Amino acid sequence: MVNEKMMEKLKKLATLIRYYILIMTTYAGSGHPTSSLSGTELMACLLFGGIFRFDVDHPKSPNNDRLIFSKGHASPLFYALWTAAGELSEEDLLTYRKFGSPLEGHPTVSFRYVEAATGSLGQGLSIGVGMALNAKYIDKLPYRTYVLLGDSEMAEGSQWESMQIAAHYKLNNLIGILDVNRLGQRGETMYGWDIEAYEKRISSFGWKTIVLDGHSISGIFAAYEETLHVTDQPVMLIGKTIKGKGVSFIENKNGWHGKVLSKEECDRALKELGEIDKSVRGEISLPEDLRPKEPTPQKPLKKIDYPADKPVATRKAYGNALVRIFPQFPNMVSLDGEVSNSTYSEIFKETYPERFFEMYIAEQNMVGAALGLSRRGKIPFVSTFAAFFTRAFDQIRMSQYSDPNIKFVGSHAGVSIGEDGPSQMGLEDIAMFRAILNSVVLYPSDAISTERLVEEAAKHHGLVYIRTTRKETSIVYRPEEEFPIGGSKVLRRSDKDIATVIGAGVTLHEALEAYEALRKEGIFIRVIDLYSIKPIDERTLREAAQATKGIVTVEDHYAEGGIGEAVMSALATSRAPVYSLAVKKKPKSGKPQELLDYENISQIGIVRKVKELI
Amino acid sequence: MVNEKMMEKLKKLATLIRYYILIMTTYAGSGHPTSSLSGTELMACLLFGGIFRFDVDHPKSPNNDRLIFSKGHASPLFYALWTAAGELSEEDLLTYRKFGSPLEGHPTVSFRYVEAATGSLGQGLSIGVGMALNAKYIDKLPYRTYVLLGDSEMAEGSQWESMQIAAHYKLNNLIGILDVNRLGQRGETMYGWDIEAYEKRISSFGWKTIVLDGHSISGIFAAYEETLHVTDQPVMLIGKTIKGKGVSFIENKNGWHGKVLSKEECDRALKELGEIDKSVRGEISLPEDLRPKEPTPQKPLKKIDYPADKPVATRKAYGNALVRIFPQFPNMVSLDGEVSNSTYSEIFKETYPERFFEMYIAEQNMVGAALGLSRRGKIPFVSTFAAFFTRAFDQIRMSQYSDPNIKFVGSHAGVSIGEDGPSQMGLEDIAMFRAILNSVVLYPSDAISTERLVEEAAKHHGLVYIRTTRKETSIVYRPEEEFPIGGSKVLRRSDKDIATVIGAGVTLHEALEAYEALRKEGIFIRVIDLYSIKPIDERTLREAAQATKGIVTVEDHYAEGGIGEAVMSALATSRAPVYSLAVKKKPKSGKPQELLDYENISQIGIVRKVKELI
């Protein structure tokens, strides 16, 4: 229980935090003070009441408890907390939302105490799931992960994905704190202050729920203490709170979301706060100083070994590659969205079951959890059908602001999957992943290049996408071939090349067939395997553009944002004509080859286009 | 209650349906027979037991009940049902999954009884929400919407978004049928046959639940009859079923998802089915012949009227436009994701509250519901922040296979939103929407062009994206100006133009400023407003490319898949150099102009680039 002295101190701290929230938002002229004021006691008690354990001098310490503001717009509260902890000055706070300040409008990892960027709602809990999975199943450390949630964002389906997976994995080290302040951006939330509605739903998803008054320090304390004794369930504190709490004229009033007080209103509000003790400082408890053993990278156990004459699906080579390289990258984990027998991550699961997490058909949470794992030093390989990554585009997009180290692997790319039809065809995935800043987009064409590119992906710190193919493709390369990120392979070249055909994945094989067909007619083409779509091998492309009459790109993907446009972009100032063969008609069910022909991206289409260029 | 005769007939029909499922999948060599067999009684009773009302000769009749297979992989069951109804022949079934057949691997609207394409899981219920909203609140018709759901797909957060919204809008005309066959693709689902887990969760979300044996015809009947008496809640039938039901050697066995029986196995299975009465035909009840009044389009009530000297945010003009054009497009509805006071759909809401649906912060369901409304003849305008449409990319992607007529409107595009920071900035939205087949992507730069483009969007049958801007922009056009889809505006041109600068939205204004700055130095540029990014005005771009030394594109969006690449694509074979100015550094919080400068997409960057070209 909290003693009277602590109670007094926490009250002072709450007042100080409110003071910070108000001055920083009024000074900035924008921000979300009311959404910050509602969560003040919930957070002050957590951080400064001895619950939260964190070494402020070593924010990256593996022993620290983690705190994620899923309601990222409450960033003023977050920054105010760290100011109350003595880690920021009042002067720092006045840089809030200014260009170059680490105190951005919504939290980003520019500020050293932010675990992951938030601001698109409904994502913090999944990041927390990743961190809690890491603590419980991988690092086996006692740190706990706390996530502050808004009530509006409970409408996001992603929350319920996280909720079910957290319960499934019995993440008792994951604590949600739901700040039910009743009001969303433009009015009341779906449930207002119907706390029971939240309680029923959350407990039905397998969580322990604790309902409390979110402004009662003693109540909050009791709740946090209760969470410490839960052994097999995640816990949700459901706090009834008042938006704008502490400032009478904005308390529980609609129309005050994302709105700041004027200078005069702020002065009036500060008076209402009463005495502000600027000398009080919140103390955060230190965690135990445990030293988890860092695993030592070893050489791969196996060699790459595929018979040169036996076709292998690149998705299968992906599974093999994971197993092969794990000793070298012992921080790897594999996550899959209930399709491990299609993506072939099941090969990894069979060998390293303790490093594999079944995430079921809930891609948003899977990607969020991968970010959480990545932020805790793991290298997540996340696999599902290429098409289904679109389900998590917002999470993928947001991850780019958290210095991610995640490898996305999408199988079943393109019309070449055949009979299953368009719903299962990844046709926008290259466009999606290319549009992420500093992303790497790789597309192997055979088992060997897959093995190598999986290795390159693991080596590279950053967000990488690897596109694999459902159908078997023949072996193109020798096992010792290297595939650096940003490279390409010129597979056919001569002095007589009249055009350059650029393929990748399944279309590379079509390009090689077109080469043979044309060669028989005495027509020579250069064939390039663009296995690295981003970054792209500009030099090789430019050389080819200069040496031949035109470039033909061919891809099993829609034209926009795909390989064709990547090549056009690389050659945009080189005056080389680029002809794009891509999926341009509504795809349907059929045999893979029928569909490649129908879309004009098979060797027939390539031959036709090359002949047009003569 | 079902009488004995009906019971006998339904048993025969179920056997016949199983026969169809088995022969069509074995013949096709791929498909999902086991997932179809589990739902056979649930669907046979619905369609042929007098519950479902549907005029088979007029599948588009507004009076028809609607049936959506959210578990789209059970398409063999769907096609078998319509065969049992006499609407397909056994011969037709043998075209299943063949190129050109309307009976695709997963249902698409090529088959006339498919309400919407499915196959990416967790989307059918939201489409159903749209159809049920239409029945209850717009058309005010008694038709009911049935959605067959798989248990695996209940892991998708989108389901819970739909669930909560359906309860919120008291959609008692929406009936979910959950086929709990325990097994997912690669093993058991998260809850297996724990029916209570589903029951608790679904009822906590405000649904009436009815638990039943999914193979008991009398039980199923009783359940459907019960649904008819529910007045203020959606209803979920939770059926415990057996995957592969009816074929002993595949019943309830793992490893049989998406796997078909060999010819021999199929013969063995057919024997197990016992006598197959191919003469039995399921009869579907006719709906009442109601004639809902089609609203008559009228001329817009207001004129476009903005003072030429007063800047207006295009997002605000969007709200105004909705109100202005509604009389002309009386099938319009507006959906918003709890940000109507930011997107300004609230202007429409205030005037036409009965045509506005608050969809809360649940973008996936919002987009799915929009598709449902579109399939029922409405023209949904769906608005949220541009960035947050990424949350629904899978739903957007899937909608393209359902002949959609949806208008997406994304506000807060680009770094020019300023202080809120990267999480709120739409920087991938153009790439995302361009990658959709036959999509239209529009980007107005002032209030006038916004008004016109909203009108064009409403006129155009198809998927349209309109990008609006947070900050106010000055008026560029006169009210009578036309903005056809696929056009562009050459705003500055002379015989001395040395370069062409292409902007849109906020960057058009930067381009115009750059023009002024350069003109003062005696340097002339052509300035094009590329308000229609897709389709793109190739002719004007080619003319500009020929007339000037180079093209400079400038966009408040990441480089990949954006305006630059759209222009490169249009000019790919024209040998014109294209220089892309785009967001290429990690954005942050700051003032809009600071950020435009930082990203080199303001007039400063344009002037610099043009001078480099001289």
Side-chain angles (χ1 to χ4, degrees), chain A residues 439-445 449 452-453 456-457 460 477 481-491 502-505 508 527-543 563 566-567 570:
Chain A
S439 63
V440 169
V441 179
L442 306 173
Y443 190 6
S445 59
S449 52
R452 288 287 178 221
L453 289 171
E456 292 293 328
H460 174 83
Y477 296 103
E481 192 86 32
E482 300 278 336
F483 290 83
I485 288 173
S488 69
K489 297 284 174 192
V490 182
L491 292 183
I502 298 175
L508 179 72
V527 177
I528 297 178
D529 175 5
L530 198 69
Y531 66 80
S532 177
I533 299 171
K534 184 184 172 190
I536 199 165
D537 184 357
E538 273 191 35
R539 211 176 66 176
T540 301
L541 296 180
R542 290 219 171 132
E543 273 172 27
I563 293 175
V567 170

Side-chain angles (χ1 to χ4, degrees), chain B residues 461-492:
Chain B
H461 182 96
L463 191 159
V464 179
Y465 175 58
I466 302 176
R467 188 181 216 225
T468 68
T469 300
R470 179 175 187 273
K471 68 173 198 164
E472 293 174 347
T473 48
S474 51
I475 302 292
V476 177
Y477 296 103
R478 295 175 54 85
E480 60 275 14
E481 191 87 30
E482 300 279 336
F483 291 82
I485 288 173
S488 68
K489 298 285 174 190
V490 182
L491 293 183
R492 301 288 183 272

